[in-house]
Amino acid sequence: MSSTRDIDALIDLMARLPGLGPRSARRAVLHLIRKRGLLLAPLARQMQLVADTARECLNCGNVGTADICDICSSEKRATGELCVVEDVADLWAMERSGVFRGRYHVLGGTLSALDAVGPEELRIPKLLDRVHAEGITEVILALNATVDGQTTTHYIADQLEGRVRITSLAQGVPIGGELDYLDDGTISAALRARKEL
Amino acid sequence: MSSTRDIDALIDLMARLPGLGPRSARRAVLHLIRKRGLLLAPLARQMQLVADTARECLNCGNVGTADICDICSSEKRATGELCVVEDVADLWAMERSGVFRGRYHVLGGTLSALDAVGPEELRIPKLLDRVHAEGITEVILALNATVDGQTTTHYIADQLEGRVRITSLAQGVPIGGELDYLDDGTISAALRARKEL
Ligand SMILES: [Zn+2]
Ligand SMILES: [Zn+2]
């Protein structure tokens, strides 16, 4: 069926998105074809635009469309507070809570003996550099409350000990919970009640 | 945050896909940005291609990239059997089962008093035309085993009574079940065991 080959190829690509299997990819593609003027064509253009322009911030690891992201570029965000998160989804979750006014540092994961992820695989050396270079007075370790997240928190706290105030999110983050799943109020409460390590 | 506006716009478009909410749309977009060379750019191109070429078959309602789809164009599929389904996802499910060699007719829904869907809103007049024009000897009514699906089955059976053999899928379709959720083997069994109405 040659004329459906292009549609099958689109379904195969869609099925590679997280959370979509073959069946939901087929449903999504049929929906897109039905709304090809209102949704499929705009989505194609927006994807191409993002594919052409998106990049990771060379300083913090956030995604944006410039080499240095808006948060790192903004003098208003130079509060001396640096919030360390595992990935960009967590940074976005923090931003949605609207309570943090400093800058971020995205590690890109956690230390993991099992997966052979050491400090060099993450952005930990860059973090240590930034604490000096940007005159950071407080590092807020906002990693997930998982075993690997907490291992990473303690590793970074050891590295920075005596050089800067080190805090971590306290109240409201459930054991085993991931930041990106929490509501904004919970994140706000956890940030306000942060405690010294 | 001007440089993330394009990314936010992409998230908003993705969240309009069935099965994706705001959170899974954010996850999907982050995944796409990480794989912008291998997945995002090819997906954008394939979406644009399908947006430019996809259309509904003027004869049967299937989707493809020509005015008349491959199945309607193929003489091999002119077996005299016509399988009536609610939507294109059901046609695809039938094709995956690989057991049916005739042609299809996609109604585009079911009759529904509640939603004011009458025969003219579906492709029922076109179905009656095709039974004559294509020398159909058997109409297989493969609608979902829902109340509206069965109402539609009986309405079409009444319209065609005495003019053609009329059958429906029999074994294996669970009460309240929808074709697109069934495994291929169940669909095959139901087609083989189809019964006279
Ligand atoms: Zn940055
Ligand atoms: Zn057709």
Side-chain angles (χ1 to χ4, degrees):
Chain A
M1 298 217 293
S2 61
S3 83
T4 61
R5 197 186 300 150
D6 288 335
I7 295 169
D8 289 341
L10 179 55
I11 292 168
D12 289 345
L13 286 167
M14 289 290 285
R16 290 167 58 190
L17 289 176
L20 286 184
R23 182 173 186 283
S24 48
R26 288 194 298 268
R27 286 266 157 200
V29 167
L30 273 180
H31 182 78
L32 286 168
I33 291 174
R34 277 188 209 111
K35 303 198 176 279
R36 54 193 174 275
L38 279 170
L39 184 55
L40 180 54
L43 189 53
R45 281 194 298 272
Q46 199 64 29
M47 280 187 173
Q48 190 62 57
L49 184 66
V50 171
D52 290 342
T53 59
R55 67 199 69 190
E56 284 174 10
C57 174
L58 297 175
N59 196 47
C60 76
N62 187 15
V63 297
T65 53
D67 284 339
I68 302 296
C69 76
D70 291 336
I71 296 173
C72 288
S73 302
S74 167
E75 276 306 312
K76 284 189 193 156
R77 305 294 297 247
T79 62
E81 292 172 312
L82 187 65
C83 179
V84 178
V85 291
E86 287 181 23
D87 61 31
V88 175
D90 296 331
L91 186 161
W92 288 354
M94 290 289 296
E95 284 293 284
R96 286 197 301 280
S97 83
V99 100
F100 181 66
R101 301 310 306 156
R103 289 186 180 148
Y104 295 94
H105 193 76
V106 179
L107 291 179
T110 51
L111 296 172
S112 168
L114 208 63
D115 299 324
V117 179
E120 300 294 327
E121 276 71 47
L122 304 177
R123 302 168 53 82
I124 290 177
K126 177 71 181 172
L127 168 63
L128 304 181
D129 289 347
R130 288 186 67 191
V131 168
H132 287 289
E134 298 182 33
I136 299 300
T137 54
E138 177 178 356
V139 171
I140 301 167
L141 296 167
L143 307 190
N144 292 328
T146 57
V147 171
D148 282 344
Q150 295 309 299
T151 301
T152 310
T153 292
H154 290 298
Y155 176 84
I156 294 173
D158 282 347
Q159 299 292 308
L160 291 172
E161 198 177 355
R163 291 161 54 186
V164 69
R165 186 182 179 209
I166 308 167
T167 57
S168 69
L169 298 189
Q171 291 184 343
V173 179
I175 303 299
E178 298 190 2
L179 284 191
D180 193 30
Y181 282 84
L182 300 181
D183 62 284
D184 303 349
T186 305
I187 291 177
S188 301
L191 185 73
R192 272 186 250 105
R194 64 189 183 271
K195 63 186 197 321
E196 302 283 340
L197 278 186
Chain B
M1 297 216 296
S2 61
S3 82
T4 62
R5 197 185 298 152
D6 289 335
I7 294 170
D8 289 341
L10 180 56
I11 292 169
D12 289 345
L13 286 167
M14 289 291 284
R16 291 165 59 190
L17 289 177
L20 286 183
R23 183 174 187 282
S24 46
R26 288 195 297 267
R27 284 266 160 201
V29 167
L30 273 179
H31 183 78
L32 286 168
I33 290 173
R34 276 187 211 111
K35 301 194 177 281
R36 53 194 176 276
L38 280 170
L39 184 53
L40 179 53
L43 189 53
R45 282 194 297 273
Q46 198 64 27
M47 281 188 172
Q48 191 61 58
L49 184 66
V50 171
D52 291 341
T53 59
R55 64 200 72 190
E56 286 175 9
C57 174
L58 297 175
N59 197 45
C60 77
N62 187 15
V63 296
T65 52
D67 284 338
I68 302 296
C69 78
D70 291 335
I71 296 174
C72 288
S73 302
S74 168
E75 275 307 310
K76 284 187 193 158
R77 305 293 297 246
T79 61
E81 293 173 314
L82 188 64
C83 180
V84 178
V85 292
E86 289 182 18
D87 62 31
V88 175
D90 297 330
L91 186 161
W92 288 353
M94 291 290 296
E95 284 293 284
R96 285 197 302 278
S97 84
V99 99
F100 180 65
R101 302 308 305 157
R103 289 185 179 147
Y104 294 94
H105 193 75
V106 179
L107 291 179
T110 51
L111 297 173
S112 168
L114 208 64
D115 299 324
V117 179
E120 300 294 328
E121 275 72 45
L122 304 178
R123 302 167 54 82
I124 291 177
K126 177 72 179 172
L127 169 63
L128 305 181
D129 290 347
R130 289 186 66 191
V131 168
H132 288 291
E134 299 182 31
I136 299 301
T137 54
E138 177 178 356
V139 171
I140 302 167
L141 295 168
L143 307 190
N144 292 328
T146 57
V147 171
D148 282 344
Q150 295 308 298
T151 301
T152 310
T153 293
H154 290 300
Y155 175 84
I156 295 173
D158 282 348
Q159 299 292 307
L160 292 172
E161 200 179 356
R163 291 160 56 184
V164 69
R165 186 181 180 211
I166 308 166
T167 58
S168 69
L169 298 188
Q171 293 184 340
V173 180
I175 302 300
E178 299 191 1
L179 284 191
D180 193 30
Y181 282 85
L182 300 180
D183 63 285
D184 303 349
T186 305
I187 291 178
S188 302
L191 185 74
R192 274 186 248 104
R194 65 190 185 269
K195 63 184 198 319
E196 303 285 338
L197 278 185

